[in-house]
Amino acid sequence: MTSQPDTTPDTSAAEFPIDTIRPLLLEQFAVLDDLLSGLTEDEWTTATCLPGWTIKDITAHLIGTESMLAGIEAPRVERDVRSFDHVRNDIAAFNELWVESLRPVPGADVLERYREIVALRTEQLGAMTQEDFGKQSNTPVGPAPYGRFMRIRVFDCWLHELDICDALGRTGSEGGPRAELGSAEVFGAVPFIVGKRGKAPEGARIAIELSGPLARTVHVEVHGRATEVPALSEPATTTIAMDSGLFVRLAGGRVRAEDRIDEISLGGDTEVGRRIVDNLAFTI
């Protein structure tokens, strides 16, 4: 499960429509099922870009998060998961309980566990209303509408789809409705990344040009705080251009800018641009 700074103001339930989010989340569950079906045991144990995790471990994490949402308690394990090098916070420790408990289980059996929890979650989500999606709940970004949590679930599951595909050398859903919905969590955090992590100075005007399946231009101006704007008031002081797939992976902490800098074009104040791309990662 990913976590990020809560950069979204209080919103009404209408901003997290159940008729949009629910079907895309269920579709994402099915896409992951198709991706995992037919994997050999060797493929299940393929290392991914996430430290310490194989494809089976990612699947166990997905099972754990949906189990938590279904009201199922995390399993107890003998090992101290907080001693693992890649476990650095409470969310990671919680994730690792499920991962550690399912590590000895064959991949095919883990897939069956995934299908069981997805069936339960599908039933639970199917019984929900827009009012349920508007209720405040505890989420990875703090108190927020349940619908926001479900949008985060689309993001998390979609990003893990890309993780699995990257590990297997396959192509995942780089664009389309699920990617658009899930990536809203990334694009909503851009002002925070530019202002707080990238330390863009007062008066800076940043234009981030993305090509590829999620092509768009994101404009941010710094006047006291960094704010996304429809268009810059004056020419950009810094420009950043790259493929949207690389942007998402940088924001998700899957790759480092220094290792892919030849795929990133910086213009204007390149020192600010480099600081922003070096600090794009905001998920846990």
Side-chain angles (χ1 to χ4, degrees):
M1 180 168 56
T2 57
S3 179
Q4 66 188 68
D6 186 5
T7 56
T8 299
D10 289 340
T11 54
S12 67
E15 296 191 57
F16 302 104
I18 190 171
D19 290 340
T20 297
I21 297 173
R22 179 170 56 192
L24 289 176
L25 179 55
L26 298 182
E27 180 183 313
Q28 183 63 63
F29 288 156
V31 168
L32 285 165
D33 191 312
D34 288 343
L35 181 58
L36 297 169
S37 297
L39 292 184
T40 66
E41 197 58 37
D42 283 345
E43 287 174 325
W44 276 106
T45 57
T46 300
T48 70
C49 62
L50 300 176
W53 279 13
T54 64
I55 290 174
K56 185 167 65 173
D57 295 334
I58 287 178
T59 309
H61 154 58
L62 295 172
I63 292 169
T65 303
E66 296 306 322
S67 295
M68 179 271 293
L69 287 164
I72 299 171
E73 291 188 5
R76 295 183 179 181
V77 298
E78 293 184 3
R79 298 177 68 187
D80 177 11
V81 296
R82 291 182 179 275
S83 68
F84 299 171
D85 290 341
H86 58 278
V87 174
R88 299 177 181 176
N89 52 65
D90 290 342
I91 291 178
F94 170 82
N95 291 340
E96 204 67 30
L97 293 174
W98 290 94
V99 173
E100 178 67 14
S101 70
L102 290 172
R103 279 199 171 106
V105 179
D109 293 339
V110 171
L111 179 56
E112 285 307 309
R113 290 281 298 275
Y114 172 78
R115 288 170 172 165
E116 289 170 4
I117 192 59
V118 164
L120 176 56
R121 288 291 293 142
T122 298
E123 180 181 351
Q124 292 177 335
L125 288 164
M128 288 187 167
T129 65
Q130 182 64 65
E131 183 179 359
D132 294 322
F133 262 47
K135 292 178 180 177
Q136 289 292 299
S137 64
N138 293 322
T139 82
V141 298
Y146 189 83
R148 173 81 190 277
F149 200 165
M150 294 306 96
R151 192 177 75 176
I152 293 171
R153 293 306 305 134
V154 175
F155 169 58
D156 190 43
C157 293
W158 170 65
L159 194 57
H160 286 315
E161 175 195 342
L162 299 184
D163 294 335
I164 294 168
C165 285
D166 288 350
L168 294 172
R170 301 180 187 177
T171 301
S173 306
E174 300 282 347
R178 286 179 290 105
E180 289 286 350
L181 180 65
S183 65
E185 292 297 322
V186 174
F187 293 118
V190 167
F192 170 84
I193 294 167
V194 168
K196 295 296 186 181
R197 296 182 61 83
K199 294 181 172 57
E202 179 70 17
R205 298 178 297 278
I206 314 296
I208 302 176
E209 299 270 1
L210 301 180
S211 57
L214 295 175
R216 70 199 62 206
T217 301
V218 181
H219 295 120
V220 177
E221 292 196 351
V222 182
H223 300 293
R225 62 178 296 177
T227 305
E228 184 175 355
V229 294
L232 297 177
S233 57
E234 296 181 57
T237 56
T238 296
T239 61
I240 301 169
M242 70 182 84
D243 182 78
S244 61
L246 176 56
F247 182 83
V248 166
R249 288 167 175 81
L250 286 169
R254 270 53 181 176
V255 297
R256 300 183 304 173
E258 62 187 88
D259 298 327
R260 306 283 290 272
I261 199 65
D262 59 331
E263 300 173 49
I264 303 171
S265 177
L266 302 177
D269 188 336
T270 57
E271 182 178 345
V272 170
R274 182 60 189 265
R275 200 158 59 232
I276 291 170
V277 298
D278 282 342
N279 289 280
L280 272 176
F282 71 97
T283 61
I284 295 177

